[in-house]
Amino acid sequence: MYAQLIKSEGMKSREEMSQEEIAFQERVDRGEKIEPKEWMPEGYRKTLIRQIGQHAHSEIVGQLPEGNWITRAPTLERKAILLAKVQDEAGHGLYLYSAAETLGVSRDELLEKLHSGEMKYSSIFNYPTLNWADMGAVGWLVDGAAIMNQVPLQRTSYGPYSRAMIRICKEESFHQRQGYAVMMKMAFGTPEQKEMAQDALNRFWFPALMMFGPSDKDSVHSAQSMAWKIKINTNDELRQKFVNETVPQAEYLGLTIPDENLVWNEEKQGYDFSEPDWSEFFEVIKGNGPCNRERLGARVKAWTDGAWFRDGLSAYAEKAAARRAAIVAAE
Ligand SMILES: CC(C)(COP(=O)(O)OP(=O)(O)OC[C@H]1O[C@@H](n2cnc3c(N)ncnc32)[C@H](O)[C@@H]1OP(=O)(O)O)[C@@H](O)C(=O)NCCC(=O)NCCSC(=O)Cc1ccccc1
């Protein structure tokens, strides 16, 4: 186990495991995929439902900050690209809800838990998108961080999740590039445009670093999730990788990362950087970020407003089933 990681609650040593649990762990250790109908420890199932469910919620809530700019995109081309990107995020959410459903939870249950605040979604989507440069920063940094986290998840031990990640990562990488393309346009544009790009970077840098989760010494789930290969890397490992890859991209744009302590460390072959403000992070995930209420309010409203449509679909499905049953009975 990584020196920094704390023991997850309920995590068993090999001596404490049942024969079934040992056999399961050995399958995971060999790199075998676990499939829906196979035996799995209850904790493994619950952890997957939590992580995949929260991931799905993030994709769905994550449409809101960018959806906000579709009607105000500066050109028709940018509008079409942004529309396609936001639509992709909806697809990712639905894909991930389906993966979660294979674990015996219904989509309605997951949504109920999102709406009641019992389940989380990524902290990043509780920050506002104030101007067009933010669309660049979201694509570049938010999708960039999402990919850094999700590429290793293609090798996660649960089959449906790992397969979902393969397609999602392909699309996320297009999203990251479109964000960087917006940043290039802004950073190489007029002085005012460059200023907007710098301002967006200033506001999104630390929230993007928070996407990887708390530091390893505070990450309650990492030890168990890594043993089960639900997670492949620690939060700090991925954050470091993200910083190492993103700094040269900012340099190319001629923008400054808003961190006075950012410096290349020859010995570790990576950058030293300031920790995000963890008290802000914990406030945001408790529901007290700048846009938490607005985001959740928008989701609950969409769910309530859509009730008539869901009712209509169910009524149609029931009538169709009754008609089919009547035809079978008459034959
Ligand atoms: C790394 C982590 C997020 C957290 O590690 P874990 O081992 O699970 O937890 P750990 O013990 O380290 O933390 C303790 C507690 O803190 C919670 N927490 C931690 N960090 C956050 C956070 N940032 N935000 C909110 N909560 C967070 C955590 O749930 C736990 O609380 P709980 O006990 O559940 O109540 C992991 O779940 C993961 O890899 N998930 C899959 C990837 C995924 O979900 N990606 C989403 C972005 S997708 C995207 O952006 C695409 C897109 C782009 C653009 C536009 C639209 C869409």
Side-chain angles (χ1 to χ4, degrees), residues 140 183 187 194 197-198 201 247 249-257:
W140 173 36
M183 287 309 269
K194 184 167 181 184
Q198 181 64 54
L201 170 57
V247 171
Q249 294 168 3
E251 282 168 357
Y252 179 76
L253 294 172
L255 300 179
T256 309
I257 303 277

Side-chain angles (χ1 to χ4, degrees), residues 50 54 89 120 123 149 172 210 213 219-221 231 235:
R50 181 183 62 80
Q54 296 191 155
E89 309 297 359
K120 298 186 169 74
S123 49
N149 167 277
E172 296 290 23
M210 293 176 192
S219 170
V220 289
H221 301 299
K231 275 169 91 164
N235 300 352

Side-chain angles (χ1 to χ4, degrees), residues 26 41 53 60 69 71 108 159 162 166 200 209 249 260 271 293 295 326 328 331:
E26 283 171 352
I60 296 298
W69 280 90
T71 53
D108 283 1
S162 78
I166 293 171
L209 295 190
Q249 294 168 3
E260 287 173 356
Y271 287 91
R293 281 168 197 81
R295 301 292 187 235
V328 171
E331 279 173 358

